[in-house]
């Protein structure tokens, strides 16, 4: 959306997408480099543990790990889980602020739904996180 606001077209959008995917955090999710992806998932898990310790402890006790739900969010940059206008704002912020914003967005979304997730068991947590249906409840 940034490129369209500034008068760009499809070619500009493609260039922005290409630049975005070349960034290390996002690129790890789009390549077959399992080690790079594990490092990014560890980073995300560490940020969640630091920012939301009670949610992290609950999810860990239920056996729910970031690698089970985070790739679905990152691969689509939230387009599948959030309404398009909300996802578009996140995309704009990611383009302007950098790829670390993706991690911040994940932590922010988890913070919004933390209280509800802490009342759920593993299967419910997974369903809620993959679809983010917990945001619509």
């Amino acid at each position: 959306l940034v490129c369209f606001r500034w008068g760009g077209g499809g070619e500009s959008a493609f260039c922005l997408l290409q630049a975005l995917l070349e960034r290390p955090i996002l690129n790890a999710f789009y390549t077959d480099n399992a080690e790079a992806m594990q490092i990014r998932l560890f980073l995300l898990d560490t940020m969640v543990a630091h920012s939301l310790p009670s949610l992290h402890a609950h999810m860990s006790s239920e056996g729910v790990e970031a690698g089970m739900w985070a790739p679905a969010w990152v691969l689509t940059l939230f387009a599948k889980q959030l309404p398009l206008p909300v996802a578009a704002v996140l995309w704009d912020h990611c383009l302007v602020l950098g790829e670390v914003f993706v991690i911040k967005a994940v932590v922010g979304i988890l913070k919004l739904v933390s209280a509800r997730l802490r009342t759920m068991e593993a299967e419910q947590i997974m369903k809620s996180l993959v679809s983010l249906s917990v945001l619509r409840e």
Side-chain angles (χ1 to χ4, degrees), residues 50 54 82 103:
H50 176 74
S54 59
L82 298 174
I103 302 291

Side-chain angles (χ1 to χ4, degrees), residues 4-97:
F4 291 111
R5 287 184 187 155
W6 291 337
E11 185 176 334
S12 297
F14 179 78
C15 289
L16 282 171
L17 178 62
Q18 181 181 8
L20 187 62
L21 294 179
E22 289 176 353
R23 296 178 181 196
I25 288 178
L26 297 178
N27 186 274
F29 287 92
Y30 288 96
T31 64
D32 60 356
N33 186 343
E35 183 180 355
M37 186 173 192
Q38 289 302 316
I39 291 169
R40 278 31 177 223
L41 289 170
F42 176 77
L43 170 66
L44 175 61
D45 188 64
T46 302
M47 290 297 296
V48 172
H50 176 74
S51 303
L52 303 165
S54 59
L55 175 62
H56 184 268
H58 175 68
M59 289 173 56
S60 294
S61 72
E62 291 292 327
V64 177
E65 301 174 3
M68 299 166 77
W69 54 268
W73 291 14
V74 176
L75 286 171
T76 63
L77 281 178
F78 311 102
K80 184 176 178 185
Q81 293 79 17
L82 298 174
L84 187 55
V86 176
V89 170
L90 292 177
W91 299 342
D92 285 351
H93 281 79
C94 184
L95 289 169
V96 173
L97 301 174

